[in-house]
Amino acid sequence: MLIGVVGGGQLGRMLGLAGLPIGMRFRFLDPGDNCPAAEAGEMIRGAYDDTAALARLIDGAACATYEFENVPAAAAMFLDSHTRLGPGPRSLSVAQDRIEEKQFFHACGVPVQPYRAVSSPQELRTAVDSVGFPAVLKTRRLGYDGKGQAVVRSAEGAGAGWDSLDRVPCIYEAFVPFVREVSLVATRSRQGEFVAHALTRNEHRDGILRVSVAPDPGADQALRNAAEGYVRAIAEALNHVGTLAVEFFVVADGDRYSLIANEMAPRVHNSGHWTIEGAITSQFENHLRAITGLPLGDAGMRGVAAMVNIIGTVPPIAEILALRGARLHLYSKEPKPGRKLGHITVTGADHEEVMPLVARLRELTAG
Ligand code: AMP
């Protein structure tokens, strides 16, 4: 069974690595060369909006998917009308616009912080007056890994922040005084079956995910249920087919914790990479099962897992592999500051066993 994937990055590569053992083959479309996915299937080099390239991508394919959310709307419509595209165009369009995403979360009963759309100086003033400070200005579209954002602490800062984002349409949202960040990665099948991975605790540095720990050691059953209920509501309202991830801020509410949704990704997600070793079925395999109409696999955990991203430079491989239980995943990317080059997963019976390994991996990957 051949799958056409828009994008040839590391997520495509890991989809390929997950699908090969269950009889799938892959073809990727990407405008770049030296793509991480090239070692996992056939590559087509072309623009994402090149209809001829898209047609070649799905020639003989059972279905199509994508590994990043900035797929042009016209490309998604083309794929959706010429093959089975999973997730569908609606999941993409909601995830591509931060205002639409927030409105959609709210409509699904998922809590969001106060926010306003900003596309004129007048709207910026209104946003400052109604949302206040501190706040975060983010481009509505095409932001990732903390790029396209400015923290705002004053009225003058709001103007300067918007200037720094080239005055493109933005969202002005309240800064959330979170106690930690978590995400839930889940998969919904064509038949409406829904499975969720463990709630994952995430730590970012400079807007980039650095460490994930699953299950989140601080979450009680109520918080886990809330996250799962929210993601299920989102997936069902979108009629989503495939894996999706929703990132949340955990906020303290007296001595109770609650969740505020930050953003969603209609795809496999960095905070779910630990599922390759830490779950009975990984996010990648479940995504492929969902989009091809196969039964979903058990998303239950094998003990406790943690993932540490390798960013900028690759640490000495022998030192990582000497660490008991460490599993190394390199993406075949050229080192560059701020670039995700790979990740390491560690698993164990409990957090007491896993957290010292994470501490060692933090030291090894500090550069
Ligand atoms: P995002 O691109 O929206 O995922 O933002 C990247 C990171 O910036 C998040 O994971 C948070 O650590 C931080 N961040 C973004 N928005 C906010 C906010 N409204 N309040 C507090 N921190 C934020």
Side-chain angles (χ1 to χ4, degrees):
M1 188 183 334
L2 178 68
I3 320 280
V5 184
V6 183
Q10 65 262 22
L11 299 180
R13 175 187 178 96
M14 288 185 272
L15 282 170
L17 293 173
L20 288 168
I22 54 171
M24 296 176 180
R25 289 180 305 117
F26 294 84
R27 188 183 290 144
F28 302 95
L29 171 65
D30 197 292
D33 46 8
N34 301 322
C35 289
E39 290 158 6
E42 185 190 333
M43 281 306 304
I44 297 176
R45 194 165 171 198
Y48 298 131
D49 56 1
D50 176 344
T51 309
L54 290 166
R56 275 175 61 210
L57 177 70
I58 56 171
D59 183 24
C63 63
T65 188
Y66 43 87
E67 54 116 53
F68 69 111
E69 57 270 44
N70 292 322
V71 175
M77 297 312 285
F78 177 88
L79 294 172
D80 194 45
S81 55
H82 289 81
T83 184
R84 294 188 296 177
L85 176 69
R90 176 90 177 115
S91 295
L92 264 178
S93 67
V94 166
Q96 284 178 346
D97 181 342
R98 289 184 187 270
I99 293 285
E100 209 187 313
E101 186 177 59
K102 286 266 191 290
Q103 285 167 345
F104 183 79
F105 287 166
H106 179 70
C108 292
V110 180
V112 295
Q113 73 271 57
Y115 67 93
R116 286 289 178 133
V118 170
S119 58
S120 69
Q122 175 56 41
E123 282 182 351
L124 183 61
R125 278 193 292 277
T126 310
V128 165
D129 288 345
S130 73
V131 176
F133 311 111
V136 188
L137 256 177
K138 301 178 181 175
T139 57
R140 279 178 71 155
R141 294 180 161 275
L142 302 174
Y144 69 100
D145 282 350
K147 292 186 173 61
Q149 301 191 9
V151 176
V152 176
R153 295 192 173 80
S154 66
E156 306 77 61
W162 199 34
D163 285 346
S164 76
L165 301 175
D166 296 330
R167 297 185 158 231
V168 297
C170 279
I171 185 170
Y172 185 93
E173 59 179 49
F175 185 90
V176 179
F178 59 83
V179 289
R180 63 183 186 278
E181 294 182 85
V182 295
S183 60
L184 194 87
V185 176
T187 306
R188 186 170 177 275
S189 73
R190 288 194 185 279
Q191 296 77 22
E193 194 187 350
F194 178 88
V195 296
H197 286 289
L199 189 65
T200 301
R201 177 180 180 157
N202 300 318
E203 191 186 307
H204 295 83
R205 195 168 73 189
D206 303 325
I208 303 175
L209 181 65
R210 178 149 163 76
V211 177
S212 291
V213 178
D216 169 24
D220 59 10
Q221 193 61 45
L223 203 75
R224 289 196 290 270
N225 289 347
E228 202 172 313
Y230 294 149
V231 178
R232 185 191 285 265
I234 291 166
E236 285 177 0
L238 289 170
N239 196 17
H240 188 88
V241 174
T243 293
L244 80 165
V246 181
E247 295 183 74
F248 298 96
F249 299 121
V250 180
V251 290
D253 211 354
D255 58 354
R256 296 192 45 215
Y257 293 114
S258 60
L259 299 170
I260 290 177
N262 178 29
E263 62 178 356
M264 65 167 273
R267 55 168 170 78
V268 290
H269 193 254
N270 195 170
S271 70
H273 288 2
W274 62 265
T275 61
I276 297 173
E277 291 87 4
I280 293 164
T281 314
S282 77
Q283 61 164 349
F284 300 100
E285 184 173 332
N286 261 342
H287 178 71
L288 295 169
R289 289 181 184 217
I291 62 171
T292 54
L294 293 168
L296 299 185
D298 186 345
M301 290 204 71
R302 307 171 192 270
V304 166
M307 183 228 56
V308 177
N309 265 341
I310 297 172
I311 299 163
T313 52
V314 179
I317 288 175
E319 285 188 51
I320 294 169
L321 297 181
L323 209 62
R324 188 173 46 82
R327 309 289 306 183
L328 176 64
H329 299 255
L330 292 176
Y331 308 150
S332 285
K333 284 162 83 172
E334 280 301 313
K336 187 178 154 186
R339 180 176 278 177
K340 290 177 184 169
L341 303 176
H343 73 268
I344 308 148
T345 308
V346 282
T347 50
D350 49 31
H351 289 96
E352 286 66 41
E353 188 181 343
V354 166
M355 294 319 285
L357 299 171
V358 172
R360 179 68 188 126
L361 287 174
R362 281 181 196 276
E363 290 169 2
L364 284 171
T365 58

